[in-house]
Amino acid sequence: MLKKRLIPMILTVLVWAGMYYYYLPPLNIHSRDCWMFMVALVVVGVVINFWTIFRAVFLDRTSPERSVNLKIIKKLLVIPIVLCVIYFGGTLLSSPILRASDYNQLLTVETGDFTTDIHEVDYNKIPILDSDSASRLAEREMGSMVDMVSQYEVSPYFNQINYQNKPVRVTPLRYGDLIKWITNRNTGIPAYIQIDMTSQDVELVRLEEGIKYSPFEHFGRNLNRYVRFRYPTAMIRSTNFEIDENGIPYWVCAVEDKTIGLFGGTDITGAIVINAVTGEHSYYNVEDVPRWIDKVYDANLLIEQYDYYGTLKKGFINSIFGQRECLQSTEGYNYIALDDDVWVYTGVTSIGGDQSNVGFVLMNSRTKETKYYQISGAKEISAMSSAEGQVQHLGYNATFPILLNIADEPTYFLSLKDAAGLVKKYAMVNIQKYQIVAIGDTVAECEKAYRNLMAGSGIETIDMDKALKAEGTISMMRDVVVDGNTYYYVMMDGNDTLFEVEVKNYLSILKKQVGDTISLEYVEEANGVNAVIGLK
């Protein structure tokens, strides 16, 4: 009799252990996965022991142990009932319906100054690629690596980071299939791909030692299992692939907690950082995360918390019915590189179908620092439509815009892609005066057209405090026509600087020739050509 009972009990324990090894739920009361796993354990236990339970209750009616078995079963039935009561009660008590003020305080929002916080655009740091374009470039680069393409593929972990003060996307390779994992697991994944988001250059970075810990491994080296067995209670919100300033690959696992009741108020408490090659790992509280790590808070969490902040100021009922002073984020987001950090950008609009923004927010994805800028203007979707309308004959699609400061004017910058997902043109749209739309084949050309349009609309685009002077003898003059406008390009004796003079603004340049003396005022531009703003 004991043997008959013991076998299903042992089988139940073994199945439970296998379930935990496969599903890896956090052993944490605040995790819904943990609660679902406990329910699954109960169901599996009942199924495996069904015959034993059925016989003890219904067949062995004359057995002296029947009454004892009935009491045990009745007590066991209390467990799922209690679990259900706690689960649904905890869900209700931690919901925004009852805890609106707590949700509203999840995020602290400061009021920022646009011209102070967001400096004049640096073209070496403008990310012109989105994740989809980066993926296509990586696939193309991988196809040219004949020694690897048969064994490895490009992984979907395209993470935007700042590497050596430049925006890049990085992703590791992954094994092509299970057989290729078996044949290559001893050496690991030999490389990762790095994509410069400003120049579109793609580099396959080969490692001295391969990546041995990743989501693409199996058994003990699988990243999820490796982390779970070392941090059994940690609730992992997201896993990002990053590299430090020396190019060493790491996995950064953001650890979340529920700060409101049992299941509400999701926030990040820290990060588990794993060396992808050696497996060395450390846990950092969120305020102690190293500076080279760029993403701890994912964009969806930051936007969710801002929406709570914007909609629950006057309670949950007001957010549904009255909606007084209720603000929400717009339909999308993008990333901006500021001060060697990655910030999430999204517009802010009022609830009720308004087609314009009342401002925008920047949220630091490492520290959660959030700044609101009250600048009204076009929504991002409207700016995308305007840019696509300028090239509708080409059928290009606009990426979600990023925010730039050009001549102290808040500006949407968009890339325009063809059907193959390759960037072909660039667009700039003035946020406040969104009828100003400029298109260019290069970023510098787009910026020049944009400044000309702003100047034509009466917007001052030149900072006279940055003006420089030059005087000398003309050694070279060339005229060029760009978009119907004539420009003279001038150089002086003993000076390698190239000066650009727009003829319609300075007609006196037509009287000059090589050998004449000239005096100029100019401002330096990112493309290396200095724009003349005064001529004698």
Side-chain angles (χ1 to χ4, degrees):
M1 181 65 68
L2 179 63
K3 183 177 180 181
K4 290 182 178 180
R5 292 183 177 181
L6 197 60
I7 292 176
M9 291 175 60
I10 294 175
L11 179 60
T12 300
V13 172
L14 291 176
V15 172
W16 283 353
M19 290 171 62
Y20 179 78
Y21 186 84
Y22 182 80
Y23 290 106
L24 301 172
L27 303 180
N28 192 312
I29 194 173
H30 294 290
S31 169
R32 292 181 186 273
D33 289 340
C34 180
W35 286 80
M36 294 299 102
F37 184 71
M38 288 191 291
V39 171
L41 293 184
V42 172
V43 172
V44 169
V46 169
V47 170
I48 294 177
N49 294 273
F50 177 79
W51 176 247
T52 301
I53 297 171
F54 182 81
R55 184 177 57 191
V57 175
F58 297 104
L59 299 184
D60 299 337
R61 294 181 178 273
T62 60
S63 172
E65 298 180 356
R66 183 172 182 269
S67 59
V68 176
N69 291 335
L70 283 172
K71 290 180 181 180
I72 295 175
I73 292 171
K74 287 179 181 179
K75 290 180 180 180
L76 290 176
L77 288 175
V78 174
I79 295 177
I81 295 173
V82 171
L83 289 178
C84 290
V85 170
I86 295 176
Y87 180 85
F88 290 108
T91 299
L92 178 62
L93 294 175
S94 55
S95 70
I97 298 174
L98 302 180
R99 307 287 294 273
S101 61
D102 293 327
Y103 277 88
N104 176 252
Q105 296 170 16
L106 283 171
L107 188 68
T108 300
V109 181
E110 302 173 359
T111 299
D113 181 82
F114 176 77
T115 57
T116 301
D117 296 342
I118 304 176
H119 304 298
E120 184 82 17
V121 61
D122 181 353
Y123 293 108
N124 293 322
K125 297 181 181 179
I126 297 179
I128 62 177
L129 294 174
D130 59 6
S131 179
D132 179 64
S133 296
S135 175
R136 291 173 185 267
L137 290 175
E139 293 285 357
R140 183 177 298 180
E141 176 70 14
M142 191 65 196
S144 65
M145 299 294 169
V146 294
D147 60 326
M148 292 188 183
V149 70
S150 63
Q151 300 297 310
Y152 303 96
E153 300 173 351
V154 178
S155 81
Y157 284 83
F158 280 92
N159 189 32
Q160 180 174 332
I161 64 172
N162 284 341
Y163 175 61
Q164 298 181 352
N165 211 29
K166 293 191 69 176
V168 301
R169 284 189 181 270
V170 289
T171 182
L173 303 182
R174 66 179 180 184
Y175 301 103
D177 53 42
L178 181 61
I179 300 300
K180 292 166 185 176
W181 169 76
I182 294 173
T183 57
N184 292 285
R185 66 177 305 274
N186 289 334
T187 56
I189 298 171
Y192 62 84
I193 292 178
Q194 177 179 312
I195 304 171
D196 190 318
M197 297 181 64
T198 60
S199 65
Q200 304 187 56
D201 292 335
V202 184
E203 180 183 4
L204 184 77
V205 181
R206 297 177 184 267
L207 300 167
E208 292 184 6
E209 292 186 54
I211 294 173
K212 295 184 174 64
Y213 298 88
S214 72
F216 322 116
E217 292 284 346
H218 299 273
F219 305 113
R221 281 182 7 194
N222 175 270
L223 182 68
N224 300 324
R225 190 167 292 114
Y226 186 80
V227 171
R228 175 58 62 227
F229 287 164
R230 285 154 184 81
Y231 302 89
T233 63
M235 295 186 292
I236 306 302
R237 166 78 186 190
S238 61
T239 300
N240 299 306
F241 180 77
E242 297 202 24
I243 58 175
D244 66 10
E245 295 302 308
N246 297 315
I248 298 174
Y250 287 86
W251 294 99
V252 179
C253 301
V255 179
E256 72 175 21
D257 193 15
K258 304 298 181 179
T259 62
I260 302 174
L262 192 60
F263 299 123
T266 303
D267 208 353
I268 302 299
T269 58
I272 301 169
V273 182
I274 305 101
N275 186 308
V277 176
T278 66
E280 296 178 7
H281 56 90
S282 299
Y283 174 83
Y284 297 93
N285 291 325
V286 70
E287 63 271 12
D288 299 324
V289 169
R291 281 296 304 266
W292 63 265
I293 292 176
D294 289 304
K295 185 179 289 186
V296 179
Y297 293 88
D298 59 278
N300 290 329
L301 176 60
L302 291 172
I303 291 172
E304 177 186 273
Q305 290 193 358
Y306 182 80
D307 285 340
Y308 287 139
Y309 171 85
T311 59
L312 298 177
K313 291 180 180 179
K314 294 186 177 297
F316 180 79
I317 294 177
N318 178 71
S319 71
I320 301 298
F321 298 105
Q323 298 183 335
R324 289 188 299 116
E325 300 181 29
C326 287
L327 301 174
Q328 64 182 359
S329 59
T330 50
E331 295 88 345
Y333 63 87
N334 214 324
Y335 298 100
I336 300 174
L338 291 175
D339 302 324
D340 201 32
D341 276 326
V342 175
W343 295 67
V344 176
Y345 155 81
T346 187
V348 176
T349 186
S350 58
I351 294 181
D354 193 356
Q355 293 304 307
S356 62
N357 284 354
V358 298
F360 56 86
V361 287
L362 295 181
M363 297 172 281
N364 192 308
S365 59
R366 179 175 59 85
T367 66
K368 203 175 76 167
E369 179 185 359
T370 301
K371 294 185 178 182
Y372 171 74
Y373 302 87
Q374 188 172 352
I375 298 176
S376 59
K379 292 179 72 172
E380 296 89 345
I381 298 298
S382 299
M384 294 168 65
S385 298
S386 296
E388 290 172 352
Q390 295 287 319
V391 291
Q392 58 183 338
H393 59 291
L394 299 172
Y396 293 162
N397 295 315
T399 59
F400 193 85
I402 62 174
L403 183 70
L404 300 182
N405 177 354
I406 299 181
D408 289 340
E409 287 288 316
T411 302
Y412 288 134
F413 174 82
L414 312 91
S415 298
L416 294 165
K417 304 189 299 182
D418 62 11
L422 300 178
V423 176
K424 294 297 184 180
K425 289 182 181 290
Y426 307 94
M428 292 182 180
V429 181
N430 191 284
I431 292 179
Q432 295 173 301
K433 297 184 178 181
Y434 41 89
Q435 71 275 13
I436 300 177
V437 182
I439 305 292
D441 291 330
T442 65
V443 177
E445 180 183 317
C446 181
E447 183 263 348
K448 180 182 292 185
Y450 180 65
R451 286 182 180 269
N452 288 339
L453 288 172
M454 286 198 296
S457 299
I459 301 175
E460 181 61 52
T461 62
I462 297 174
D463 186 354
M464 297 306 295
D465 293 335
K466 297 181 180 179
L468 303 172
K469 294 183 179 181
E471 185 174 351
T473 302
I474 298 175
S475 62
M476 185 275 287
M477 288 184 67
R478 295 286 189 275
D479 61 296
V480 176
V481 177
V482 179
D483 294 332
N485 297 313
T486 302
Y487 295 85
Y488 267 92
Y489 291 89
V490 179
M491 294 184 68
M492 301 179 190
D493 285 334
N495 191 337
D496 293 334
T497 305
L498 190 63
F499 300 95
E500 181 186 69
V501 183
E502 191 170 3
V503 173
K504 69 178 182 181
N505 295 330
Y506 304 100
L507 294 175
S508 58
I509 189 66
L510 298 174
K511 300 177 181 179
K512 300 290 185 178
Q513 58 185 347
V514 174
D516 289 347
T517 300
I518 192 171
S519 179
L520 304 173
E521 281 187 286
Y522 67 95
V523 291
E524 296 178 332
E525 294 189 345
N527 59 4
V529 178
N530 299 315
V532 172
I533 59 173
L535 183 150
K536 293 182 180 178

